[in-house]
Amino acid sequence: VAMTIKICTHPLMRHKLTHLRDKTVAPKEFRELSKEISTLLAYEAMWDLPTKAKTVCTPVAETSGEEVDGTLALIPVMRSGLGMIDGFIYAYPTAQIWHVGMYRDPKTLVPVEYYNRFTEDSKCDIAYVLDSSLSCGAVACAAVDTVKDWGVKRIKLVSFVASPEGIKAVQDAHPDVEIVVGSIDDGLTPDAMITPGVGDMGSRFFGTS
């Protein structure tokens, strides 16, 4: 299965992502930008949602329309993925929200899971794994593994920025998973940070840098 990579090229995405990268942006504005960028990415990621017919009555007449057919789950990878939830919920307020906590060991770069409250069986038709920075790809791959083990058949990975190395890692491990990003950046630093990137998303979002 050939994996699809979608890049949101909307002028507003380029505008907002440029401001998000700015190291002088304070946490308040950083959070606002994160929500706005996430909403744009949500529209990009949800472009192919299945729909079903629905009849409604306007104040003037009865008419036929459509509504989303299926259950959606948002799965932020804590903690940086938490900054993407508000934007996705704004786009689709009835989505389920689940969480998976993972971090990359700074010495080995191996992902370590520290939180997972998935129920025994998945009750969703499509899951959006939210990982704001797709760097070396180890955490994203492990998160997708967890969601697949949960029983979800259709998964999309959504990130603000991604490195070519991270994209390749996900492509090799999960060729059936579509990746949706705001930008594909140049690469990785020696300590596996995306360059130019946005820095440590979690620290900037929560004001702990």
Side-chain angles (χ1 to χ4, degrees), residues 76-146:
V77 180
M78 298 193 294
R79 64 182 177 152
S80 65
L82 294 174
M84 302 176 69
I85 283 293
D86 284 351
F88 269 76
I89 285 296
Y90 182 80
Y92 193 76
T94 58
Q96 299 177 358
I97 303 176
W98 301 85
H99 299 82
V100 58
M102 289 188 176
Y103 68 90
R104 188 180 61 201
D105 186 288
K107 293 182 179 178
T108 65
L109 302 183
V110 173
V112 179
E113 181 179 307
Y114 65 89
Y115 184 88
N116 177 346
R117 291 295 298 274
F118 290 146
T119 53
E120 194 167 309
D121 296 308
S122 162
K123 299 294 192 295
C124 71
D125 300 300
I126 179 169
Y128 298 88
V129 176
L130 311 180
D131 187 11
S132 56
S133 295
L134 176 55
S135 51
C136 68
V139 167
C141 286
V144 171
D145 278 332
T146 301

Side-chain angles (χ1 to χ4, degrees), residues 151-186:
V152 182
K153 302 300 183 186
R154 189 174 176 210
I155 301 169
K156 294 193 180 190
L157 173 65
V158 188
S159 300
F160 287 176
V161 294
S163 72
E165 296 92 332
I167 290 172
K168 184 179 186 305
V170 175
Q171 184 175 28
D172 290 345
H174 300 288
D176 56 324
V177 171
E178 180 179 325
I179 300 175
V180 182
V181 299
S183 171
I184 298 177
D185 281 14
D186 297 340

Side-chain angles (χ1 to χ4, degrees), residues 42-97:
Y43 290 135
E44 194 77 34
M46 296 178 181
W47 73 274
D48 57 350
L49 281 176
T51 61
K52 60 184 178 181
K54 180 178 176 62
T55 300
V56 297
C57 291
T58 77
V60 179
E62 183 179 282
T63 186
S64 58
E66 298 176 60
E67 64 180 359
V68 171
D69 185 17
T71 302
L72 280 59
L74 309 177
I75 306 175
V77 180
M78 298 193 294
R79 64 182 177 152
S80 65
L82 294 174
M84 302 176 69
I85 283 293
D86 284 351
F88 269 76
I89 285 296
Y90 182 80
Y92 193 76
T94 58
Q96 299 177 358
I97 303 176

